[in-house]
Amino acid sequence: MRMCALPPALPAFAAGLDGRFAADGALARHARWQPHDLLRLRRLPAFDGEPMWVREAFARAPFVVVRRAQTAESYIAVGVRGASRAQRYGTWVQASDVELTVSPDSLVALEPQVERVPLPAFAALAALRRAPGSLAQFVWGPTGSVGYELATRVPAATSASDLDLLILTPEKMPDATAIRLLSELNRHAQNAGVRVDVQLETPAGGVALAELAAGKPHVMVRAAYGPALVTDPWAVTTTRHA
């Protein structure tokens, strides 16, 4: 079973190309849609090798999540989330099929359904909403199962779910801030009995807060072109592939 659809065939966009996505040139990253945004779609194109559960999942909640991948201008790389942890499928949608965009930061103020409030991940999010501490200086929001459930109102989080957070950091985060922020978030996590996994969105791509706070000479960046090690994710010219 293919866990990611092949890029869709497109009209040739340059001499010598066969109409499929190439490694450079005509590929682009949409400024309008960012990794971890949830998109509500009017339709989901089907590709060869699609798992059987995908249609059922889309019927249950017509939402997909933007993933990191290079793509042609009229397409968006997305992931479909199924009912179980093993059901994750990468595919491609047309920009014209997007009905609604939900960013992680827009979900912070949303409450889960009443019976879901006691779940540790939602309890930790509520605590951060009440007392954000160092988070208050950033634009941030939940991703993963918590973000998906808040956006779609379809149960996705469990008692064992982590609280995944995305923090937008267009400007360099000082080491001292990273250490303090990680300590505060770990304290909230311990109080709620949950693990908090934090990713920073930097100019170079996604970076784990824990890695940055560890003070390593290089950190792993997750970018559209693949993972890479960088000395400074706010100075993207320092990138070297992992």
Side-chain angles (χ1 to χ4, degrees):
M1 180 183 296
R2 187 182 298 131
M3 298 314 294
C4 186
L6 289 174
L10 301 172
F13 41 69
L17 295 184
D18 67 357
R20 293 192 176 273
F21 296 155
D24 53 17
L27 299 181
R29 176 181 172 185
H30 283 283
R32 183 175 175 184
W33 297 288
Q34 300 300 320
H36 300 288
D37 283 353
L38 286 161
L39 309 179
R40 189 177 70 199
L41 305 176
R42 60 175 56 90
R43 72 181 187 100
L44 179 68
F47 293 97
D48 291 343
E50 178 185 277
M52 293 180 63
W53 57 264
V54 169
R55 293 295 124 184
E56 181 182 347
F58 188 70
R60 184 169 59 248
F63 282 81
V64 294
V65 62
V66 177
R67 60 187 175 89
R68 299 182 194 277
Q70 291 182 312
T71 181
E73 188 62 31
S74 61
Y75 281 83
I76 310 167
V78 300
V80 181
R81 186 187 187 100
S84 72
R85 190 179 184 87
Q87 292 180 339
R88 302 290 185 269
Y89 180 63
T91 187
W92 315 83
V93 299
Q94 291 184 302
S96 58
D97 283 327
V98 177
E99 294 182 327
L100 176 70
T101 302
V102 183
S103 61
D105 58 282
S106 70
L107 298 171
V108 174
L110 294 185
E111 294 282 357
Q113 298 177 72
V114 174
E115 68 274 13
R116 310 284 290 167
V117 170
L119 288 177
F122 286 122
L125 180 61
L128 287 173
R129 192 165 51 233
R130 290 191 300 269
S134 298
L135 264 183
Q137 63 186 293
F138 298 103
V139 175
W140 64 280
T143 60
S145 60
V146 168
Y148 183 85
E149 180 167 336
L150 289 173
T152 65
R153 315 312 286 180
V154 172
T158 70
S159 59
S161 292
D162 298 342
L163 174 59
D164 297 312
L165 299 178
L166 180 71
I167 302 176
L168 303 186
T169 53
E171 305 298 329
K172 185 176 178 66
M173 179 182 285
D175 292 346
T177 301
I179 293 169
R180 181 174 64 254
L181 182 56
L182 182 63
S183 176
E184 291 177 6
L185 292 173
N186 283 339
R187 187 164 59 251
H188 279 289
Q190 185 175 15
N191 290 340
V194 69
R195 180 176 178 271
V196 177
D197 187 8
V198 186
Q199 186 171 105
L200 309 178
E201 188 65 29
T202 76
V207 175
L209 173 63
E211 245 189 281
L212 187 69
K216 298 178 180 180
H218 296 91
V219 293
M220 181 67 71
V221 167
R222 290 164 177 79
Y225 52 77
L229 291 173
V230 304
T231 56
D232 182 351
W234 291 274
V236 294
T237 56
T238 59
T239 300
R240 64 173 185 169
H241 287 283

